[in-house]
Amino acid sequence: MHGLAILGDLLIIVGVAIPVVALAHRLRVPSIVGFLLTGVLIGPHALAFITDSSEVAEIAEIGVLLLLFAIGLELSLSRIVKLGRVMLQGGLVQVGTTMLVVGGLALTLRLPVEQAVFYGALVALSSTAVVLRVYTDRRELDTPTGRTSVGILLFQDLSIVPLVLLVQLLGGAEGGAGRTLGSVLVSLLVVGTLVLGGRIVIPWILERVVGVRNRELFTLGIVFFGIGAAFVTASFGLSLALGAFIAGLVISESEYGLQALSDIVPFRDTFSGIFFISIGMLLDVGFVFENPGLVLGAAVGVVLVKTVTGTIATLSLRRPWRVAFVTGAGLAQIGEFSFVLASVAAPFALMGGVEREQIFLGAAVITMLVTPLLVVGAPAVAGAVAGIVGRGRPELPELEGEEAEELSDHVIIVGYGVVGRNLARVLDGAGIPYVILEQNGLVVQAARRGLQPIFFGDGTQAEVLEDVGIRRARIIVFAIASPNDELRGVSVARRLNPGVRIIVRTRFVLAVENLKNAGADDVVAEEFETSLEIFARTLRHFDVPSNTIEREVQAARLEHYGIFVGRSSTEFRLDTLAHLGVHRAIDIVEVEEGCPAVGRHPRAMRLRRDTGATVIAVVREGEVLYTPDPDYRFQPGDSVLLVGDEEAQTRARAYFLRPATPL
């Protein structure tokens, strides 16, 4: 009957979680919040669908194990190296300052040192799942704020390993310095053996498992390594989660990491969901309503402290004030790994009693719920604060040889990524004056060393645009890959200079209409242009006439690429001519209405004498005519096969294209 009881609990958990998580998805709230609320609802302190959470907690342990295993699989040394300074410096400053501030506050309240350090670690970690979900939904993951947040979150994910060890050491600190040092040495020895041994043994075994060509066997092998590493660490007094994390990190370095992650994700999502539900079941709703001041005060304190420490960490990377503040606000919640630390600390009573545990749980749920609101409202708050403290106008490096105020009829490039660099190179070669705005201090320094006219500043702020002569500029180009920043920048630029030409490079189709309404003259959507290039290349392989492809591309652009969403009024005529052996010396041209060739016989045109190209065949209504009869005359819609070099083909095409309308 014990198994039947667990099955009944699982049935209740899944049955309630489905509508709650669906509602969270509809409200664009991260699933973790939905799982936590599900636990609150069904727990013994609310509807009491489940009165004994101990059995659910056993299943939740599997969720923690799989969560850490999957995090290890998602990380890799190459990814860590790529983020480099952002992760190491930004993450270290954020975690370190948060632990110092929270630990210091705890000590002022006369709490034991062990608890003070533990509280600092508990608050220092933010929610990777919540933050990434919010930035992904807002399409801001590739912005300066998004990239900085990812780097700091990655450091936090990695720091869970030493923090778990720290919590265990804090829990056993009463054994004396010798015991503590011995525990550290044993922990390091176990972790080192798993990492070094795993990097040798695991890829060797997986290579042979893959050779069997059995998907189930591969999945079993991956699960075995994860559980095995967890068993080893638990046998030496460390946590199950630590071993699972190390196993995932080792596997991620092999060529089998991606497949392993895809096999584990469904299990991870299910069991980690149960873990968060079990956490929610611990929250006493009655306590929250009886002590709203304590819970809300703790939540507000966490948001304020973490906003400040996140801002300081981002400023240490020489990011602008606005980026730093928005990043700090986005990281101002208690994370999922804080619950992992709390579960590891439970046997040691480091939390300090049921009341503090309830305050922590209530604050965690509240900070997760308000994260989307903080991310949305942070830019406006940053602008207001910047205006008060005078930080909204960053110091701009002087232009060498030509001051910003002397620029006129120039181009302003906002963002110095790939698009900005290529544009600057072309403008430089053409002798067109330009100036660049960029928010990454390191990029600005490198570009200045290359004698580029680049400023450190936010190109969406009126003061910064004024400094680089927006009122005298001919064109401003936004290439910053952030929909909200692009929209704000376009509105500001149009207000400051109604006559400036505004060109925007954006990533998504949905942003085009909003940018146009805000005042953009030209919007280039990467999503659309990629689609156009793919369809054009596909049609070329079917030997569709080149002018037909170009005409359809232009028609798609004029219709805002409506062809890709079912709104195009034009139709393709895919005349497949592969059987003719078409190669580079042959071009296919469709006869257009009003062109010089309409109504004329191929021979009468003397095309070879005048252009150097020869008509070798004509396709009309699917029929290939190699030798047209004397009555044949070119008609609009005919496909003409031309032979000749590139210049000859160019001259010949003019006979079959509609003459350009005079301006």
Side-chain angles (χ1 to χ4, degrees), residues 569-588:
S569 60
T570 58
E571 297 179 357
F572 291 113
R573 244 180 353 96
L574 301 181
D575 297 312
T576 307
L577 303 170
H579 61 283
L580 295 176
V582 176
H583 50 80
R584 289 186 178 180
I586 299 178
D587 190 18
I588 308 172

Side-chain angles (χ1 to χ4, degrees), residues 168-360:
Q168 292 178 325
L169 293 176
L170 291 173
E174 67 276 4
R179 181 178 175 182
T180 300
L181 180 60
S183 299
V184 171
L185 293 176
V186 170
S187 300
L188 292 176
L189 181 62
V190 172
V191 171
T193 302
L194 283 175
V195 172
L196 295 177
R199 296 196 67 172
I200 297 172
V201 175
I202 290 179
W204 184 84
I205 295 177
L206 286 179
E207 183 179 353
R208 279 142 187 82
V209 170
V210 170
V212 179
R213 298 178 181 273
N214 185 292
R215 176 74 175 271
E216 290 79 9
L217 186 61
F218 178 81
T219 304
L220 286 173
I222 294 299
V223 174
F224 173 79
F225 289 131
I227 296 176
F231 178 79
V232 170
T233 54
S235 300
F236 285 90
L238 305 176
S239 71
L240 291 167
L242 177 61
F245 177 85
I246 294 172
L249 192 61
V250 170
I251 295 173
S252 73
E253 288 300 306
S254 71
E255 60 267 35
Y256 311 110
L258 188 61
Q259 182 61 49
L261 179 61
S262 67
D263 288 352
I264 291 299
V265 162
F267 300 102
R268 179 203 65 183
D269 292 343
T270 301
F271 284 96
S272 63
I274 295 174
F275 167 69
F276 289 116
I277 289 173
S278 70
I279 294 296
M281 291 171 62
L282 299 175
L283 181 63
D284 187 346
V285 180
F287 177 85
V288 174
F289 282 110
E290 291 173 4
N291 303 275
L294 284 175
V295 176
L296 289 176
V300 172
V302 168
V303 170
L304 291 177
V305 169
K306 298 198 71 174
T307 298
V308 172
T309 57
T311 301
I312 293 172
T314 310
L315 287 174
S316 74
L317 298 170
R318 303 192 65 180
R319 298 294 191 268
W321 154 255
R322 180 178 167 276
V323 172
F325 182 79
V326 175
T327 301
L331 298 173
Q333 74 286 131
I334 291 175
E336 53 268 17
F337 282 156
S338 298
F339 298 126
V340 175
L341 285 182
S343 65
V344 172
F348 310 115
L350 284 174
M351 188 66 78
V354 176
E355 179 176 334
R356 293 179 187 174
E357 181 179 321
Q358 292 300 321
I359 294 173
F360 162 70

Side-chain angles (χ1 to χ4, degrees), residues 44 133 192 225 228 231 260 277-278 294 384 433 454 474 480 585 589 602 605 654:
R133 174 63 182 272
F225 289 131
F231 178 79
I277 289 173
S278 70
L294 284 175
I454 188 169
R474 178 185 291 194
I480 49 181
V589 184
M605 292 177 59

Side-chain angles (χ1 to χ4, degrees), residues 285-506:
V285 180
F287 177 85
V288 174
F289 282 110
E290 291 173 4
N291 303 275
L294 284 175
V295 176
L296 289 176
V300 172
V302 168
V303 170
L304 291 177
V305 169
K306 298 198 71 174
T307 298
V308 172
T309 57
T311 301
I312 293 172
T314 310
L315 287 174
S316 74
L317 298 170
R318 303 192 65 180
R319 298 294 191 268
W321 154 255
R322 180 178 167 276
V323 172
F325 182 79
V326 175
T327 301
L331 298 173
Q333 74 286 131
I334 291 175
E336 53 268 17
F337 282 156
S338 298
F339 298 126
V340 175
L341 285 182
S343 65
V344 172
F348 310 115
L350 284 174
M351 188 66 78
V354 176
E355 179 176 334
R356 293 179 187 174
E357 181 179 321
Q358 292 300 321
I359 294 173
F360 162 70
L361 290 172
V365 174
I366 292 172
T367 55
M368 284 185 171
L369 284 172
V370 301
T371 296
L373 300 177
L374 291 174
V375 173
V376 172
V381 176
V385 174
I388 296 173
V389 301
R391 296 292 302 276
R393 188 176 183 135
E395 295 183 5
L396 303 177
E398 292 183 352
L399 279 171
E400 296 182 8
E402 186 176 32
E403 295 297 333
E405 58 267 21
E406 296 176 356
L407 287 173
S408 180
D409 203 34
H410 58 291
V411 178
I412 300 173
I413 304 173
V414 182
Y416 199 54
V418 175
V419 175
R421 287 186 177 92
N422 289 333
L423 177 57
R425 188 179 301 114
V426 172
L427 294 175
D428 195 47
I432 298 173
Y434 65 93
V435 65
I436 307 162
L437 289 172
E438 170 59 47
Q439 297 189 66
N440 189 321
L442 295 177
V443 172
V444 172
Q445 289 178 3
R448 294 293 294 177
R449 287 194 293 268
L451 302 181
Q452 284 288 353
I454 188 169
F455 286 168
F456 177 83
D458 184 351
T460 68
Q461 299 295 317
E463 296 86 353
V464 177
L465 290 178
E466 290 272 18
D467 280 336
V468 293
I470 181 62
R471 297 185 188 277
R472 303 181 302 277
R474 178 185 291 194
I475 297 173
I476 181 170
V477 179
F478 289 94
I480 49 181
S482 171
N484 292 315
D485 287 342
E486 291 164 353
L487 192 62
R488 182 170 53 253
V490 168
S491 300
V492 171
R494 180 59 68 208
R495 174 171 55 83
L496 294 176
N497 186 351
V500 71
R501 185 83 181 181
I502 301 177
I503 303 173
V504 186
R505 162 258 192 172
T506 190

Side-chain angles (χ1 to χ4, degrees), residues 129-203:
V130 172
V131 175
L132 294 188
R133 174 63 182 272
V134 171
Y135 280 119
T136 300
D137 289 345
R138 290 173 57 81
R139 296 184 175 90
E140 294 182 352
L141 204 57
D142 196 33
T143 63
T145 300
R147 290 191 295 269
T148 305
S149 299
V150 168
I152 294 175
L153 289 169
L154 179 57
F155 180 88
Q156 293 180 1
D157 291 344
L158 288 172
S159 66
I160 187 64
V161 177
L163 287 179
V164 166
L165 292 174
L166 176 64
V167 168
Q168 292 178 325
L169 293 176
L170 291 173
E174 67 276 4
R179 181 178 175 182
T180 300
L181 180 60
S183 299
V184 171
L185 293 176
V186 170
S187 300
L188 292 176
L189 181 62
V190 172
V191 171
T193 302
L194 283 175
V195 172
L196 295 177
R199 296 196 67 172
I200 297 172
V201 175
I202 290 179

